[in-house]
Amino acid sequence: MPYTRGGAVDRTEVGALVRAAVDGDAAAWKALVEGLSPLVWSVVRAHRLSDADGHEVYQTVWFRFAQHLGRIREPEKAGSWLASTTRHECLKVIKALARLMPTDDPQVLDRVSEDRTPEQTVIDSEEAAAESERIRRLWQEFEELGERCRQLLRVLMATPPPSYVEASAALGIAVGSIGPLRQRCLRRLRARLDARGAV
């Protein structure tokens, strides 16, 4: 078997396994699940879901992967596809949970509509306005960074995120320089935001 559980996943092997799984090779499918499950779980854990919600996301992601298996345009990037899909499913669960507010108020429990209370509407509106202002300041400071930083960070923010090799090809920056440059750019952005109390 090409993988050990939790081991590093090689893109070329993943591409070959995806193609074999599309052709009905059960061993290739098993190797994909075992080789890429640690990646899926790492994304789930990063979103701090409950065990039950995490397992539901895990099952949903693999179900979607099986559904799309034959349509994945770049099989060697199956890991990126899974990471992106897992993140999307985690955010869906978090959004759904945010709508569920525990209460012992019988009027609320008896209510069949999803109408929000006036207080909640005001709070939501204020929170949305504060978040919108925070994002506006973030992008304002981002635009003040040098062109090289802006290009690098925009490329690395893509969904799914590109590998450093892909980013290197896109920007003409040596692979070994991408990590240190990314850190410098993010530190510069953080310093600008801290100086303006925008974080």
Side-chain angles (χ1 to χ4, degrees):
M1 187 174 293
Y3 300 120
T4 53
R5 187 176 294 277
V9 179
D10 179 80
R11 283 187 169 207
T12 314
E13 287 183 26
V14 168
L17 286 170
V18 168
R19 283 184 279 272
V22 169
D23 291 336
D25 184 335
W29 173 257
K30 185 179 179 194
L32 279 169
V33 174
E34 290 189 358
L36 293 171
S37 282
L39 170 66
V40 174
W41 279 119
S42 72
V43 177
V44 170
R45 281 193 298 272
H47 287 82
R48 299 180 179 185
L49 299 181
S50 69
D51 283 350
D53 289 332
H55 279 89
E56 187 176 330
V57 165
Y58 177 84
Q59 297 293 338
T60 301
V61 166
W62 283 109
F63 176 70
R64 295 211 189 297
F65 186 63
Q67 280 183 313
H68 289 85
L69 198 59
R71 289 178 298 208
I72 294 177
R73 285 194 299 266
E74 297 175 275
E76 65 279 1
K77 293 184 183 173
S80 295
W81 190 97
L82 281 165
S84 177
T85 302
T86 305
R87 189 176 73 245
H88 178 71
E89 290 300 324
C90 287
L91 294 175
K92 269 171 61 176
V93 168
I94 290 167
K95 192 173 178 183
L97 289 173
R99 289 198 295 265
L100 301 174
M101 297 177 62
T103 180
D104 57 2
D105 181 348
Q107 286 185 318
V108 173
L109 293 173
D110 291 341
R111 192 186 300 164
V112 291
S113 72
E114 288 190 10
D115 293 343
R116 303 184 75 64
T117 64
E119 295 85 358
Q120 189 59 48
T121 302
V122 170
I123 291 169
D124 288 350
S125 174
E126 287 175 354
E127 286 177 353
E131 178 68 3
S132 176
E133 176 61 15
R134 193 183 70 78
I135 291 169
R136 188 191 67 75
R137 286 184 188 169
L138 173 64
W139 282 110
Q140 189 176 349
E141 296 305 328
F142 178 86
E143 291 301 331
E144 297 297 321
L145 293 174
E147 179 65 22
R148 197 170 190 213
C149 277
R150 291 201 307 270
Q151 282 184 336
L152 177 66
L153 294 177
R154 278 197 183 106
V155 166
L156 295 178
M157 284 188 294
T159 304
S163 67
Y164 276 14
V165 172
E166 291 162 337
S168 169
L171 298 170
I173 298 172
V175 172
S177 300
I178 291 175
L181 179 59
R182 175 179 173 268
Q183 288 302 322
R184 280 199 301 276
C185 293
L186 290 174
R187 274 199 300 270
R188 203 172 299 157
L189 180 59
R190 166 64 68 176
R192 293 186 67 89
L193 290 166
D194 285 346
R196 286 155 182 75
V199 183

